[in-house]
Amino acid sequence: MKILKFGGTSVGDAPSISAVLAIVKKSYAAGERPLVVLSAMAGVTNLLTKMAEDAAAGQSFQADLKRVEERHFAIVKELMAVKYQNPVYTKLKLFFNEIEDLLQGIYALRELSPQSKDLIVSFGERCSNFMVSKIAAQDIPEALYIDASHYVKTDSNFGQAHVNESLTDQLITALAHAHADNLLFVTGFIGSNEKGRITTLGRGGSDYTAAIFGSVLNAEAIEIWTDVNGMLTADPRIVKKAFSLPVLSYTEAMELSYFGAKVIYPPTMIPAFLKKIPIVIRNTFDPHFPGTIIQFDAGKTTLPIKGISSIAESSVINLAGSGMIGKSGFSGRLFTLLAREQINVVLITQSSSEHSITFAVNPDDALKAVKLIEMEFELELQANKLVQPTVEDNLSVLAIVGENMKKTPGMSGRLFYALGRNGINVRAIAQGSSEYNISVIINKVDLAKALNAVHDAFFAELKKTLYVFNLGTGNIGSTLFKQLEKQHEFLSEQNDVEIKVVGVSNSRKMYFDVDGINLSSWEGTLEGAGEVADLGTFIEKMKALNLPNCVFVDNTASKLPATYYEDIFKANISIVTCNKIANSGTFEQYKKLRDTARKHGVDFFYETNVGAGLPIVRVLKDLMLSGDQIIRIEAILSGTISYIFNNFKGDASFYDVVKKAQELGYTEPDPRDDLGGIDFMRKMLILARDAGHEIESEDVDLGAILPASCLAATSVEAFYAELLRENKFFEDLKERAASANKVIRYIGKLEHGKVAIALELVDENHPFYALSGSDNIISFTTERYKDRPLVVKGPGAGAEVTAAGVFADLVNVGA
Ligand code: ADP
Ligand code: ASP
Ligand code: MG
């Protein structure tokens, strides 16, 4: 036979109960005679607890009681034929009257003992089982309600009672014997002590009830039916990418649940383990999914770990002092004391010098633990052999679990790298003696981020998610979104990365969505649902969301974002940018940004600062990293100027060519922003700095293209007028080039740590002679590439190629 246990969420409402009964009936129809264990309806145990506490505090509990009653009645009404309803209402009403009487008593006395609390919460399971057994009995007359408190005998440790195995064994055996032909619906969670007083087995204890019955009855399997597809690699409410584990060993399941994986109550494993009965965790709402089987042998797997779990609320107590050195009995005394007082110690770490012990407890127990320690070690404290114990709150425990861990080196390294890279401070570390788990204590605010980052780090076969905050929705930003949307599937299949744009802002509006903004409709969303943009707020919000693998993308050309870069790195967020401002400011700032990014282990990528999508920054970096020496860099890095000189020949006047370039959208609104050379200068400055030179923009020797009068013109029209007036100057230049069979090029040069940009006439032997259209070209002459320089050439401007360069940088973040 099998035990089928259904949790609170499986009996939370009418459709769920119908799903439960479909599973039970199917088993019954197949000739099986399962034993069913049910929890209280979802939320009812919590509500009963709250009512009891409210009553003790002199507050009203009536409204809550009414709610619970109505939830049950509504289900009877919906799932039972009218002719069967009355006796069920009556019995339920008797239960609720009893609860009300108890609560009245508590209210009058203003006193709530653990014993009364157990009695009150026990009605949750009693009501749900009675009710569901009657609903089932409409189709299966053998269905019978069983109050487990008559069969599960325990000690008097109310709230978390221990089972008297031999007595329980006898009673359950007799029960099964007497009802061999019945379909039993057994209340989970509850038992009774030797005086017959109701006890409970601890929160989540219905799982344990199922295991107790399974063990006594030698069930072939204990099926725990819940609302998820088995035991997952992490809590799916926090880690969206958690996936279901087909097989776990009892030990693994125990460790995972001990460290917070709520899906199964840890003590459940013990009776099953002793009798080698498999536990299967399955989904009531997806009954065809096989779920997770927990058995003796975890089987073979390629997963480095099985899962990551966490205890969200934890306090840490630190004990230090010379009194501990070499005193082998010290920790014995300490932990015996805590065990005697039922304080559960979640994790212990001891420094190798034995000078200090740190241990984690439930926050509710922390002050009690300190008081106990003060009493037990009073003499040591007085003699200053022990320092006054301290408590730290608002901490969480995160644990990675798996049997493979002890065979695989580097697990802790991977864990700490993932935490460190995301700026998560580790307060204490413990490796379980079983080597099946490594646990760390971190700040509670970092928990969700840590779980996701560690999940990404260990389940590499899964996609890594980058969370992107994009500033700027002009040409480049919007093109990037188009490309991201188009490449979505390819990326996740080929590159194992998923890029989620979770924040977007332009100068007017900003919008956030942690689940990822739909890139096919971002414009409407930003306009419609966005709030008024403010860069400071945008960045604060980005930091506050505390997401793992986070990237800030600056797709603007404005000065303001750069002032935040350092701050962003300090929050362990990487930056990808096509904005040149930060890198071409002072050298001090240039250096500071790199130092900060390095210190915080994040990336700073700006390939599109030079030559748009062309691999220039990366090539230079690779040359430097591989120990090559840069002798000279020569480059044409302005697509606009290239276009102009490539077309400035024959009959065309300079005026015509510039006008045409502007019409084609190749120039800035004021063409002097290109022809003045400032943008080119910035690119050369960045390259020179990346090549290792400490250089400022004033150090660049920037040769002019235009005569002074053109530069001085006060408007764009006036500028064009000056171009016409200076026609002879330009014609002379063209004539000089043509007569010498040369072409005009505006070339930047880096040599001996000096940068110069100037107009040059080059002949056909020069590698820059054949440049066409608006292409960029750069040639690196190095120790290795001395005779034939390394040349990169191609389109160096335009939204498509620039966005593609930003995209490539993004994919490389964290790689
Ligand atoms: P039930 O009401 O069936 O007893 P619980 O609420 O006790 O269900 O446990 C199921 C819940 O446990 C799931 O809904 C899920 O959100 C949560 N959970 C936390 N960690 C895990 C995990 N590692 N695997 C599966 N579920 C988990
Ligand atoms: N109803 C109890 C609880 O909520 C027992 C259980 O659901 O397993 O803790
Ligand atoms: Mg549960």
Side-chain angles (χ1 to χ4, degrees):
M1 56 104 54
K2 275 186 194 165
I3 310 288
L4 306 180
K5 179 263 169 180
F6 296 88
T9 44
S10 301
V11 291
D13 54 22
S16 311
I17 293 174
S18 300
V20 166
L21 290 176
I23 293 164
V24 174
K25 280 180 206 160
K26 190 172 168 208
S27 158
Y28 202 74
E32 298 170 355
R33 288 296 172 267
L35 181 140
V36 181
V37 176
L38 303 180
S39 292
M41 289 177 72
V44 166
T45 309
N46 285 345
L47 259 182
L48 289 168
T49 309
K50 175 174 177 283
M51 284 184 245
E53 285 163 358
D54 284 350
Q59 282 159 8
S60 167
F61 51 81
Q62 299 292 355
D64 286 334
L65 185 58
K66 188 103 197 110
R67 264 173 61 204
V68 175
E69 191 178 302
E70 275 167 6
R71 272 183 69 190
H72 287 83
F73 285 6
I75 285 180
V76 175
K77 188 165 174 221
E78 187 169 345
L79 297 182
M80 289 192 82
V82 179
K83 59 180 173 180
Y84 297 125
Q85 283 175 4
N86 263 338
V88 181
Y89 283 137
T90 310
K91 173 78 177 176
L92 285 175
K93 193 67 200 167
L94 287 175
F95 278 145
F96 289 113
N97 289 345
E98 219 177 320
I99 302 174
E100 184 169 10
D101 288 348
L102 288 165
L103 290 170
Q104 290 292 7
I106 290 166
Y107 184 85
L109 293 168
R110 296 285 197 276
E111 186 184 78
L112 175 64
S113 66
Q115 178 175 333
S116 322
K117 202 182 208 171
D118 273 5
L119 179 54
I120 287 176
V121 295
S122 75
F123 283 95
E125 266 67 13
R126 295 202 263 174
C127 290
S128 72
N129 274 271
F130 171 74
M131 179 177 78
V132 177
S133 74
K134 292 298 175 190
I135 298 170
Q138 298 177 108
D139 298 322
I140 307 173
E142 293 82 2
L144 186 67
Y145 163 65
I146 298 292
D147 180 339
S149 64
H150 303 308
Y151 306 95
V152 176
K153 297 305 284 185
T154 71
D155 64 8
S156 299
N157 188 20
F158 295 99
Q160 189 128 26
H162 305 288
V163 175
N164 177 332
E165 283 162 28
S166 56
L167 203 51
T168 302
D169 205 311
Q170 281 170 32
L171 291 167
I172 292 178
T173 308
L175 169 76
H177 213 74
H179 296 290
D181 294 327
N182 283 108
L183 172 62
L184 304 184
F185 283 81
V186 179
T187 56
F189 186 47
I190 65 177
S192 65
N193 69 5
E194 74 285 358
K195 290 191 193 133
R197 302 273 183 250
I198 297 272
T199 55
T200 60
L201 305 176
R203 291 306 306 267
S206 297
D207 300 334
Y208 190 29
T209 306
I212 294 166
F213 277 82
S215 160
V216 173
L217 302 175
N218 291 310
E220 66 195 79
I222 299 162
E223 295 189 352
I224 306 287
W225 291 79
T226 182
D227 63 344
V228 281
N229 278 339
M231 188 93 140
L232 311 181
T233 47
D235 187 336
R237 287 164 302 185
I238 309 176
V239 180
K240 292 279 177 295
K241 282 187 277 179
F243 58 94
S244 164
L245 295 157
V247 189
L248 286 173
S249 72
Y250 291 112
T251 326
E252 288 173 332
M254 180 89 152
E255 297 267 349
L256 276 171
S257 55
Y258 180 70
F259 282 100
K262 193 188 166 200
V263 65
I264 188 162
Y265 184 49
T268 310
M269 255 64 76
I270 295 163
F273 170 85
L274 291 173
K275 288 228 172 150
K276 295 197 182 174
I277 302 171
I279 298 174
V280 192
I281 304 182
R282 302 189 61 177
N283 190 349
T284 305
F285 308 101
D286 187 3
H288 298 294
F289 193 84
T292 301
I293 175 158
I294 302 170
Q295 58 187 26
F296 220 79
D297 182 3
K300 278 208 169 30
T301 169
T302 50
L303 296 178
I305 61 169
K306 286 297 174 61
I308 306 152
S309 53
S310 61
I311 301 174
E313 310 269 354
S314 194
S315 293
V316 159
I317 299 178
N318 301 298
L319 272 180
S322 61
M324 283 188 273
I325 298 174
K327 294 261 192 303
S328 53
F330 182 88
S331 20
R333 252 169 88 201
L334 172 66
F335 294 113
T336 312
L337 166 78
L338 297 172
R340 192 183 69 216
E341 297 294 328
Q342 311 218 354
I343 292 178
N344 185 26
V345 176
V346 179
L347 163 165
I348 306 166
T349 67
Q350 186 158 17
S351 73
S352 52
S353 68
E354 289 186 46
H355 215 80
S356 71
I357 293 182
T358 297
F359 60 92
V361 295
N362 185 315
D364 296 340
D365 290 335
L367 287 181
K368 184 175 166 198
V370 168
K371 289 230 165 63
L372 288 167
I373 292 165
E374 285 168 355
M375 268 153 55
E376 173 76 23
F377 297 100
E378 198 185 349
L379 293 178
E380 285 86 346
L381 280 163
Q382 268 170 13
N384 286 327
K385 287 187 174 167
L386 198 63
V387 183
Q388 180 64 29
T390 59
V391 183
E392 286 178 80
D393 293 320
N394 294 322
L395 300 173
S396 298
V397 180
L398 177 151
I400 57 172
V401 171
E403 287 187 354
N404 264 357
M405 252 174 6
K406 65 176 166 194
K407 289 177 250 152
T408 330
M411 291 295 109
S412 46
R414 218 194 281 193
L415 171 67
F416 296 126
Y417 180 75
L419 294 172
R421 199 184 147 84
N422 285 286
I424 298 155
N425 203 7
V426 175
R427 312 292 291 267
I429 305 160
Q431 173 147 28
S433 53
S434 61
E435 288 188 55
Y436 289 167
N437 98 61
I438 301 173
S439 357
V440 292
I441 295 180
I442 58 178
N443 288 330
K444 191 170 175 235
V445 288
D446 290 328
L447 181 60
K449 174 172 165 179
L451 283 167
N452 282 287
V454 173
H455 198 271
D456 271 353
F458 278 97
F459 299 109
E461 60 270 40
L462 287 171
K463 286 175 270 162
K464 179 173 76 176
T465 303
L466 293 178
Y467 292 93
V468 171
F469 290 83
N470 180 83
L471 190 67
T473 59
N475 255 341
I476 297 172
S478 56
T479 309
L480 175 67
F481 288 170
K482 262 191 219 119
Q483 293 177 353
L484 282 172
E485 198 203 344
K486 226 162 97 193
Q487 294 295 314
H488 183 79
E489 258 159 48
F490 171 80
L491 266 183
S492 54
E493 274 160 30
Q494 305 294 317
N495 283 319
D496 294 328
V497 349
E498 176 191 34
I499 298 178
K500 267 192 189 172
V501 178
V502 289
V504 57
S505 178
N506 54 28
S507 53
R508 288 169 297 108
K509 290 264 175 106
M510 60 185 187
Y511 181 76
F512 303 89
D513 182 352
V514 215
D515 293 327
I517 296 165
N518 184 345
L519 293 182
S520 60
S521 53
W522 67 269
E523 273 176 294
T525 313
L526 184 63
E527 276 307 312
E531 38 190 306
V532 173
D534 175 73
L535 185 53
T537 316
F538 187 74
I539 286 164
E540 277 319 306
K541 183 89 192 247
M542 168 174 80
K543 291 199 276 184
L545 283 170
N546 208 7
L547 295 166
N549 306 318
C550 188
V551 193
F552 177 76
V553 179
D554 178 2
N555 275 330
T556 73
S558 60
K559 291 213 167 75
L560 194 58
T563 58
Y564 288 95
Y565 283 10
E566 197 185 334
D567 202 32
I568 292 172
F569 289 140
K570 283 184 179 158
N572 291 82
I573 296 170
S574 296
I575 296 180
V576 168
T577 182
C578 60
N579 186 337
K580 292 182 265 292
I581 299 289
N583 283 329
S584 57
T586 63
F587 183 78
E588 192 192 336
Q589 178 185 15
Y590 170 92
K591 183 157 186 311
K592 187 107 173 241
L593 288 177
R594 276 149 189 79
D595 291 347
T596 316
R598 198 173 311 117
K599 185 164 157 216
H600 290 268
V602 289
D603 293 316
F604 180 27
F605 292 150
Y606 48 90
E607 181 60 73
T608 47
N609 276 193
V610 183
L614 295 177
I616 294 176
V617 172
R618 200 166 307 148
V619 165
L620 175 57
K621 191 165 153 201
D622 287 346
L623 289 172
M624 304 278 295
L625 276 177
S626 62
D628 203 351
Q629 300 285 329
I630 309 290
I631 299 170
R632 190 181 327 116
I633 294 177
E634 286 167 288
I636 291 178
L637 294 174
S638 167
T640 315
I641 301 175
S642 284
Y643 172 86
I644 289 170
F645 285 121
N646 276 332
N647 289 282
F648 182 42
K649 55 193 171 199
D651 291 340
S653 73
F654 197 72
Y655 172 92
D656 291 338
V657 178
V658 175
K659 225 21 233 216
K660 181 83 186 293
Q662 176 148 42
E663 274 160 26
L664 289 172
Y666 288 175
T667 71
E668 296 294 321
D670 186 338
R672 286 172 295 181
D673 289 346
D674 302 294
L675 289 165
I678 294 292
D679 194 56
F680 196 163
M681 182 279 289
R682 289 197 176 121
K683 295 174 187 170
M684 286 305 293
L685 186 64
I686 296 169
L687 285 179
R689 286 172 172 176
D690 278 4
H693 302 290
E694 194 175 328
I695 173 171
E696 303 290 351
S697 55
E698 305 85 75
D699 303 332
V700 175
D701 179 4
L702 182 61
I705 297 175
L706 302 171
S709 65
C710 297
L711 288 171
T714 52
S715 68
V716 177
E717 289 94 80
F719 158 70
Y720 274 112
E722 281 306 318
L723 279 191
L724 279 180
R725 281 207 323 113
E726 295 282 5
N727 195 37
K728 182 160 184 325
F729 169 88
F730 295 109
E731 286 303 316
D732 283 353
L733 181 64
K734 187 164 78 182
E735 176 52 34
R736 250 192 300 142
S739 61
N741 269 334
K742 291 182 176 180
V743 291
I744 312 163
R745 296 286 180 251
Y746 193 52
I747 300 177
K749 240 184 228 161
L750 166 70
E751 203 168 12
H752 308 303
K754 295 256 179 301
V755 177
I757 305 172
L759 271 184
E760 281 184 42
L761 301 182
V762 304
D763 64 24
E764 59 187 349
N765 296 320
H766 195 284
F768 293 0
Y769 179 86
L771 199 67
S772 61
S774 61
D775 277 3
N776 279 196
I777 187 164
I778 181 159
S779 103
F780 297 96
T781 308
T782 71
E783 273 307 320
R784 232 173 267 153
Y785 294 95
K786 211 190 275 175
D787 303 331
R788 280 202 309 131
L790 176 65
V791 174
V792 180
K793 183 179 147 193
E800 279 296 329
V801 286
T802 309
V806 172
F807 196 155
D809 275 352
L810 258 181
V811 176
N812 278 313
V813 168

